[in-house]
C-alpha cells in the first residue's frame, strides 16, 4: 500500500467514527502515487461507495494529498478493484480478514449481540465457490433439524442429491410457507452434489435473480449467452418460483430452459410457497410440468421440533438452553423457524447485556415485546376511542363542551393517558379534545395524578385502560 | 418577526456517541457490537414509535441510508440491483410498496449471502408488520430491538446537555415551559434548542421566558414537527 494512502487512512481513522471508516474508507484503494502530478486514482468496489465517497470525503482526501505532497493533487474516483492486493478492497466486506484473530463478538464486549446463529461463515471461505454456484455453505443436511414436518422432504432431497437427474425425482418441487426451511433444503441439495461430484455445474438462483438475468439479457441483446448458460447446467436450483407471477417473458424463457434440462436428464429443483396448482399468475404449461417429478411439502414444525431447533441453534452459540426456556419460546412462536431464531437471538442478547443467566424469567422479560403483545401504535385517537368505550360514552362527548362529571372525568383520564402514552405536546392534546387550552390539559393531568392516590376505583379504571392500550 | 424553521439540520451529524440513550442502553450497545467487523449477524431490526430515535441510529450506523417512506419502491437500488454495499440502512420499511418489498427481500438475501449487513427500522415489531410474509419473517429472523422514547426527565437532561454544549444557559423555568408547550419528541426539541441558540444570538438576548414565547409563538411558526 502506498505511503500516502497509509497516512490518509490513519487520518480518517482519527476523524471518523469506526463504523463510518470501516464502511466507506477502508474498502478504497489508491493508485498512481508514483506519478501524483498526473492525478491519483481511487478505486471503489461499487457504485454506492463511489458516490458516497465522492460526495463526502473526496475533497478531504485531496486536501490531505495536497498537504502530503506539498503540491495540489487531484483524485479521480473509479469503479473496480484493479490489480493485485484484493485484501484492502474487500476488507470491509470480509470482516474476518480484517481482524487477525477473529474473536466472537460476544467475547470482547460484555453486551455484545450474539453472532449469527447460522453456522455459515460466508465470504472468505466461499467467494470463488459462491460466485460460481451461489450456494451458501452453511446450509447443509447435517445441520438441518428433522421432524415430522420435514422428514419426507429431507429424505427426498437426499435421494436427489445422491442421484441428480434421476427421472423419478425430476423436477423436484418443494413447497411450504415462509420461513420453514425451503431455501436451506435446496442449498443442502446443491452443497451435497458439489461435495460428491466436484465436476458438476450446480447453480442456485432465486426466481427474482433469474428474472433480472432475463431482463439484462433482453437489454443487452444477449439471449444466446443466457440460454447457453442455463442449458449448460447440470443442476438448477430455482428458489421461490412464485416470484414469476405475471412475468410472461421470464416464464417463457424458463419453459425452454426447463424442457432442455429435463430432456438431457439434468436435475431441476424448484421451491415455492404453495402447491403448484395454487401458484397465481403462472402459465398452465409450467404448472403441469412442475408436477412431472416429485412434489414434497414442508409443514410448520410441531412443538418438539421447534424445541429441537432452538436447542441446536443455542448449542451452535455455545449456550445451553433449559427445556423450560426452549418450550416457552417454542410455545409462543409457532408459525415459522425464522422468527424462532430471531426470538432466540433476542434472549441471548438480552442475557448478555444484563449479564444474567438464561432462565424462564429472563426469557419472558426479553421477549415481552415480541410475544403476544398487542403493541398497537398508541395515538390520541385510539386513546379517545378506548376511553369512550370503557366509560360507555361517545367519542364526540370527549370533544364536546359538556362539563358534567360523567363526561369530564373520562375526558381527564383520556388527557392523562395521552400525556403519558404519546409524545404529543399539551397544546396538541388540548387541540385534539375539541380545541381546549393547554392549561386545561395540565389541570386534567394533575387532577388524575392526585385522584389516583386517593380514589381506588379511578385508579383501577386507569390501570385497566393502561393495560388495554399498552397491550 | 423573522420566521424560524424548526426542522434545522442538526449541527453535529447523528452518531452513536451523541445518541441520547435514556433507557435504550441495551439497544445502543447492541448496535455498536453488531457494527463491529467481527459480528456475523446479517440483520438488525429496530422498532419504536416516531421520535424514539430510529432514524438517528440508522444514520449513525454509517450505512447507506434510504427512507422507505420517501422512496417506497427503493428505486435507488434499481440501476444495479446486484450491487450492494457493506451496510444498508432502510428506514420505515412498513411504507414500502409491493415492488419495494421485493427489492428489500432481494437485498436481504444478497447481504446475507455475501457476508454484508442490513439495518432496518419500522414503527412495529416484525410480527405486526403488514408486509410480504417472506420478507416479514426474514426481518424477524435477525436481531430485534425496541427503542423506548425518552421520559420527560431524560429529555430535560438531554436538553440541558445540548444547551451546555452550545454555551447556552437554559433556566429551569424555560425547560419546564418547553416541555409544556412544545412538541415533545427529541428531534423537535433539539431543533428548538438550535433555533433558540440562533435567535438569542441574533437578538443578543439571554434565554428568558419572554424570548421563548417569541420563538414558539412567532407568527410564521409551525410548531408541529
Amino acid at each position: 500500500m502506498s505511503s500516502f494512502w497509509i497516512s490518509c487512512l490513519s487520518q480518517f481513522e482519527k476523524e471518523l467514527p469506526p463504523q463510518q471508516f470501516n464502511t466507506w474508507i477502508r474498502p478504497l484503494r489508491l493508485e498512481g502515487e508514483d506519478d501524483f502530478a498526473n492525478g491519483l486514482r481511487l478505486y471503489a468496489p461499487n457504485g454506492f461507495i463511489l458516490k458516497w465517497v465522492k460526495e463526502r470525503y473526496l475533497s478531504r482526501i485531496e486536501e490531505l494529498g495536497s498537504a502530503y505532497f506539498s503540491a495540489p493533487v487531484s483524485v479521480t474516483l473509479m469503479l473496480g478493484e484493479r490489480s493485485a492486493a484484493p485484501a484492502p478492497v474487500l476488507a470491509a466486506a470480509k470482516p474476518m480478514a480484517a481482524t487477525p484473530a477473529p474473536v466472537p463478538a460476544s467475547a470482547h464486549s460484555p453486551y455484545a449481540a450474539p453472532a449469527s446463529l447460522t453456522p455459515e461463515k460466508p465470504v472468505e471461505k466461499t467467494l470463488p465457490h459462491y460466485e460460481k454456484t451461489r450456494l451458501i455453505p452453511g446450509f447443509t443436511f447435517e445441520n438441518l433439524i428433522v421432524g415430522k414436518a420435514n422428514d419426507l422432504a429431507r429424505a427426498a432431497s437426499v435421494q436427489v442429491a445422491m442421484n441428480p437427474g434421476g427421472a423419478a425425482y425430476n423436477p423436484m418441487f418443494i413447497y411450504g410457507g415462509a420461513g420453514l426451511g425451503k431455501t436451506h433444503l435446496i442449498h443442502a441439495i446443491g452443497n451435497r452434489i458439489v461435495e460428491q461430484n466436484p465436476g458438476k455445474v450446480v447453480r442456485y438462483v432465486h426466481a427474482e435473480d433469474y428474472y433480472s438475468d432475463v431482463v439484462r439479457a433482453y437489454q443487452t441483446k444477449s439471449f444466446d449467452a443466457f440460454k447457453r448458460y442455463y442449458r449448460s447446467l447440470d443442476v438448477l436450483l430455482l428458489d421461490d418460483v412464485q416470484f414469476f407471477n405475471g412475468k410472461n417473458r421470464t416464464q417463457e424463457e424458463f419453459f425452454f430452459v426447463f424442457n432442455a434440462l429435463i430432456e438431457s436428464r439434468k436435475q431441476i429443483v424448484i421451491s415455492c410457497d404453495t402447491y403448484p396448482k395454487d401458484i397465481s399468475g403462472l402459465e398452465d404449461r409450467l404448472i403441469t410440468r412442475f408436477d412431472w417429478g416429485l412434489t414434497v411439502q414442508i409443514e410448520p414444525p410441531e412443538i418438539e421440533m421447534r424445541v429441537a431447533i432452538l436447542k441446536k441453534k443455542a448449542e451452535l452459540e455455545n449456550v445451553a438452553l433449559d427445556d423450560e426456556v426452549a418450550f416457552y419460546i417454542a410455545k409462543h412462536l409457532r408459525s415459522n423457524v425464522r422468527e424462532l431464531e430471531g426470538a432466540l437471538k433476542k434472549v441471548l442478547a438480552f442475557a448478555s447485556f444484563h449479564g444474567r443467566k438464561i432462565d424462564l424469567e429472563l426469557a419472558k422479560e426479553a421477549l415481552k415485546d415480541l410475544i403476544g403483545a398487542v403493541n398497537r401504535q398508541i395515538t390520541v385517537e385510539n386513546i379517545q376511542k378506548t376511553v369512550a368505550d370503557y366509560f360507555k360514552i361517545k367519542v364526540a362527548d370527549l370533544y364536546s363542551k359538556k362539563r358534567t362529571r360523567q363526561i369530564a372525568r373520562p375526558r381527564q383520564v383520556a388527557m392523562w393517558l395521552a400525556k403519558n402514552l404519546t409524545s404529543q405536546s399539551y397544546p396538541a392534546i388540548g387541540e385534539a379534545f375539541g380545541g381546549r387550552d393547554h392549561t386545561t390539559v395540565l389541570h386534567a393531568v394533575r387532577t388524575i395524578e392526585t385522584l389516583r392516590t386517593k380514589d381506588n376505583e379511578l385508579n383501577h379504571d386507569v390501570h385497566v385502560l393502561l393495560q388495554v392500550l399498552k397491550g | 418577526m423573522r420566521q424560524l424553521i424548526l426542522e434545522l439540520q442538526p449541527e453535529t451529524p447523528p452518531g452513536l456517541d451523541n445518541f441520547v440513550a435514556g433507557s435504550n442502553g441495551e439497544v445502543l450497545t447492541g448496535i455498536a457490537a453488531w457494527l463491529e467487523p467481527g459480528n456475523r449477524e446479517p440483520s438488525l431490526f429496530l422498532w419504536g414509535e416516531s421520535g424514539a430515535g430510529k432514524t438517528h441510529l440508522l444514520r449513525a450506523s454509517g450505512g447507506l441510508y434510504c427512507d422507505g417512506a420517501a422512496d417506497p419502491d427503493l428505486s435507488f437500488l434499481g440501476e444495479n440491483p446486484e450491487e450492494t454495499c457493506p451496510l444498508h440502512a432502510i428506514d420505515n420499511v412498513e411504507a414500502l410498496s409491493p415492488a419495494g418489498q421485493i427489492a428489500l427481500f432481494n437485498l436481504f438475501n444478497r447481504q446475507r449471502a455475501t457476508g454484508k449487513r442490513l439495518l432496518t427500522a419500522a414503527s412495529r415489531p416484525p410480527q405486526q408488520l403488514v408486509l410480504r410474509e417472506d420478507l416479514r419473517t426474514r426481518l424477524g429472523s435477525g436481531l430485534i430491538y425496541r427503542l423506548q422514547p425518552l421520559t420527560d426527565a431524560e429529555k430535560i437532561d438531554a436538553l440541558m446537555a445540548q444547551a451546555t454544549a452550545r454555551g447556552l444557559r437554559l433556566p429551569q423555568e424555560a425547560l419546564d415551559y418547553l416541555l409544556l408547550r412544545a412538541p415533545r419528541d427529541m428531534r423537535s426539541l433539539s431543533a428548538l434548542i438550535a433555533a433558540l441558540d440562533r435567535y438569542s444570538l441574533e437578538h443578543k438576548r439571554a434565554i428568558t421566558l419572554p424570548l421563548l414565547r417569541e420563538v414558539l409563538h412567532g407568527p410564521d411558526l409551525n410548531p408541529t414537527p
Side-chain angles (χ1 to χ4, degrees):
Chain A
M1 213 186 296
S2 74
S3 50
F4 160 61
W5 189 236
I6 292 172
S7 86
C8 198
L9 284 177
S10 75
Q11 189 57 35
F12 272 110
E13 209 164 359
K14 275 184 229 143
E15 290 176 10
L16 296 175
Q19 60 273 20
Q20 312 257 357
F21 175 77
N22 285 329
T23 309
W24 305 113
I25 305 296
R26 202 192 276 281
L28 303 173
R29 213 168 35 75
L30 188 87
E31 278 190 8
E33 190 168 338
D34 304 338
D35 189 18
F36 70 87
N38 283 327
L40 300 169
R41 294 179 304 280
L42 195 56
Y43 289 94
N46 66 48
F48 287 124
I49 295 186
L50 186 140
K51 190 158 166 272
W52 190 274
V53 172
K54 200 171 194 168
E55 281 167 11
R56 284 154 213 254
Y57 305 122
L58 187 60
S59 58
R60 180 69 183 138
I61 295 171
E62 288 184 332
E63 207 177 291
L64 292 170
S66 305
Y68 184 89
F69 296 108
S70 313
V73 167
S74 80
V75 179
T76 315
L77 265 164
M78 296 171 134
L79 261 189
E81 299 176 8
R82 270 287 279 244
S83 81
V89 180
L90 281 172
K94 285 173 72 173
M96 295 308 190
T99 35
V103 190
S106 46
H108 54 70
S109 157
Y111 352 91
S116 165
L117 286 172
T118 40
E120 62 201 79
K121 288 201 186 77
V123 198
E124 80 267 49
K125 186 175 133 192
T126 58
L127 255 185
H129 179 63
Y130 172 78
E131 281 308 322
K132 209 171 123 218
T133 65
R134 302 285 165 126
L135 287 171
I136 299 176
F139 288 149
T140 62
F141 288 123
E142 287 71 25
N143 61 28
L144 182 75
I145 311 282
V146 190
K148 256 189 284 176
N150 66 355
D151 60 353
L152 182 66
R154 181 189 183 273
S157 300
V158 171
Q159 285 299 315
V160 166
M162 275 164 58
N163 183 20
Y169 297 111
N170 207 10
M172 174 164 168
F173 192 93
I174 304 171
Y175 74 98
L180 299 183
K182 300 185 295 288
T183 301
H184 188 137
L185 207 52
I186 77 175
H187 277 282
I189 296 173
N191 282 318
R192 175 67 63 86
I193 295 175
V194 169
E195 186 188 307
Q196 295 185 342
N197 312 278
K200 289 234 190 266
V201 188
V202 178
R203 170 68 196 262
Y204 165 86
V205 62
H206 190 272
E208 267 292 316
D209 292 328
Y210 184 87
Y211 162 71
S212 305
D213 282 355
V214 173
V215 172
R216 202 170 305 120
Y218 190 73
Q219 285 166 344
T220 57
K221 300 191 171 53
S222 54
F223 264 115
D224 286 344
F226 171 87
K227 285 177 185 151
R228 222 177 306 122
Y229 172 72
Y230 276 100
R231 288 171 198 197
S232 72
L233 299 175
D234 293 311
V235 180
L236 173 60
L237 308 163
L238 180 75
D239 205 359
D240 281 336
V241 74
Q242 73 275 6
F243 276 84
F244 279 180
N245 181 353
K247 291 166 179 153
N248 297 340
R249 184 68 204 255
T250 304
Q251 291 183 30
E252 193 180 329
E253 285 307 320
F254 184 69
F255 177 76
F256 292 119
V257 168
F258 183 97
N259 288 341
L261 290 180
I262 296 280
E263 261 168 42
S264 42
R265 309 191 117 236
K266 304 297 171 70
Q267 180 69 45
I268 297 178
V269 182
I270 296 167
S271 83
C272 185
D273 65 354
T274 65
Y275 188 69
K277 295 211 167 40
D278 296 334
I279 313 175
S280 55
L282 219 61
E283 291 177 26
D284 286 345
R285 56 179 182 170
L286 275 178
I287 291 178
T288 44
R289 274 166 176 74
F290 290 166
D291 239 355
W292 278 358
L294 177 71
T295 299
V296 288
Q297 185 187 4
I298 304 183
E299 288 170 35
E302 71 277 26
I303 184 137
E304 293 79 9
M305 187 172 161
R306 298 201 296 275
V307 168
I309 291 171
L310 285 167
K311 295 195 113 182
K312 174 84 178 178
K313 300 219 181 249
E315 191 190 308
L316 289 168
E317 294 295 313
N318 297 318
V319 174
L321 204 60
D322 283 350
D323 282 349
E324 201 186 27
V325 177
F327 268 99
Y328 176 77
I329 303 175
K331 208 172 82 196
H332 287 93
L333 289 144
R334 302 156 177 274
S335 58
N336 66 75
V337 180
R338 271 192 212 116
E339 285 172 300
L340 208 55
E341 192 171 336
L344 176 63
K345 286 176 190 171
K346 177 87 233 178
V347 171
L348 299 188
F350 189 83
S352 150
F353 176 74
H354 293 281
R356 282 167 54 187
K357 185 171 147 286
I358 299 174
D359 54 20
L360 186 58
E361 199 189 327
L362 175 124
K364 282 183 180 166
E365 223 178 308
L367 298 176
K368 67 176 187 301
D369 290 334
L370 285 182
I371 289 180
V374 184
N375 286 320
R376 273 175 302 166
Q377 185 84 336
I378 301 176
T379 61
V380 176
E381 289 71 42
N382 65 36
I383 290 172
Q384 289 172 333
K385 169 111 186 26
T386 312
V387 170
D389 287 350
Y390 182 82
F391 289 107
K392 303 193 173 51
I393 57 174
K394 292 193 214 109
V395 176
D397 289 338
L398 293 173
Y399 317 138
S400 71
K401 299 261 177 262
K402 290 181 199 161
R403 291 169 66 180
T404 55
R405 169 66 63 90
Q406 209 183 338
I407 306 286
R409 191 68 85 221
R411 186 186 292 135
Q412 288 178 327
V413 169
M415 286 176 172
W416 182 89
L417 289 164
K419 154 70 175 58
N420 283 284
L421 298 177
T422 75
S423 305
Q424 298 290 321
S425 65
Y426 285 91
I429 296 172
E431 191 53 43
F433 283 84
R436 289 180 153 77
D437 194 69
H438 79 277
T439 50
T440 310
V441 184
L442 193 58
H443 174 71
V445 169
R446 288 182 182 149
T447 305
I448 297 302
E449 250 145 41
T450 316
L451 281 178
R452 280 188 77 185
T453 58
K454 298 181 191 154
D455 180 341
N456 280 338
E457 197 185 325
L458 178 96
N459 191 36
H460 171 77
D461 293 340
V462 170
H463 185 74
V464 172
L465 282 163
L466 274 174
Q467 293 304 311
V468 170
L469 286 161
K470 284 162 85 176
Chain B
M1 196 179 298
R2 257 195 69 204
Q3 180 180 6
L4 278 171
I5 299 160
L6 283 186
E7 276 118 318
L8 290 172
Q9 283 297 315
E11 283 166 22
T12 43
L16 295 183
D17 45 358
N18 61 18
F19 180 72
V20 184
S23 55
N24 295 309
E26 187 194 352
V27 187
L28 188 62
T29 47
I31 290 200
W34 181 70
L35 289 168
E36 291 283 318
N39 197 296
R40 284 180 291 130
E41 170 58 48
S43 157
L44 194 145
F45 179 93
L46 286 175
W47 67 281
E49 64 183 75
S50 156
K54 301 185 294 292
T55 304
H56 180 112
L57 288 177
L58 257 59
R59 290 196 179 274
S61 70
L64 186 64
Y65 178 85
C66 178
D67 183 357
D71 180 7
D73 292 342
L74 293 184
S75 51
F76 82 108
L77 289 168
E79 283 172 29
N80 271 313
E82 296 227 340
E83 202 168 69
T84 60
C85 75
L87 173 61
H88 280 272
I90 314 283
D91 210 349
N92 292 312
V93 296
E94 69 265 60
L96 291 176
S97 67
Q101 292 178 37
I102 292 180
L104 182 58
F105 172 86
N106 288 330
L107 184 64
F108 186 103
N109 292 339
R110 209 156 287 131
Q111 296 296 89
R112 180 182 58 184
T114 52
K116 298 174 186 171
R117 327 249 180 120
L118 180 63
L119 178 59
T120 45
S123 61
R124 293 144 196 270
Q127 280 77 3
Q128 290 170 31
L129 287 176
V130 185
L131 292 174
R132 300 176 61 96
E133 189 65 4
D134 46 16
L135 173 61
R136 193 188 69 69
T137 54
R138 274 169 174 76
L139 297 176
S141 71
L143 284 169
I144 300 165
Y145 285 104
R146 177 182 191 171
L147 275 171
Q148 301 280 2
L150 297 179
T151 62
D152 282 358
E154 288 164 345
K155 284 177 196 166
I156 289 182
D157 286 348
L159 292 180
M160 278 295 207
Q162 289 182 6
T164 311
R166 290 171 173 277
L168 268 185
R169 207 188 64 80
L170 269 186
Q172 185 62 42
E173 52 179 12
L175 278 171
D176 293 343
Y177 187 91
L178 264 185
L179 282 179
L180 278 181
R181 316 285 178 116
R184 295 188 304 157
D185 66 284
M186 225 25 233
R187 198 178 333 188
S188 310
L189 286 169
S190 302
L192 250 175
I193 295 288
L196 277 173
D197 188 14
R198 219 181 41 177
Y199 194 84
S200 91
L201 270 178
E202 272 176 16
H203 293 78
K204 302 197 171 46
R205 285 167 54 191
I207 297 193
T208 54
L209 275 188
L211 179 123
L212 207 54
R213 283 196 199 105
E214 274 177 44
V215 173
L216 276 175
H217 303 299
D220 299 315
L221 191 73
N222 175 11
T224 47

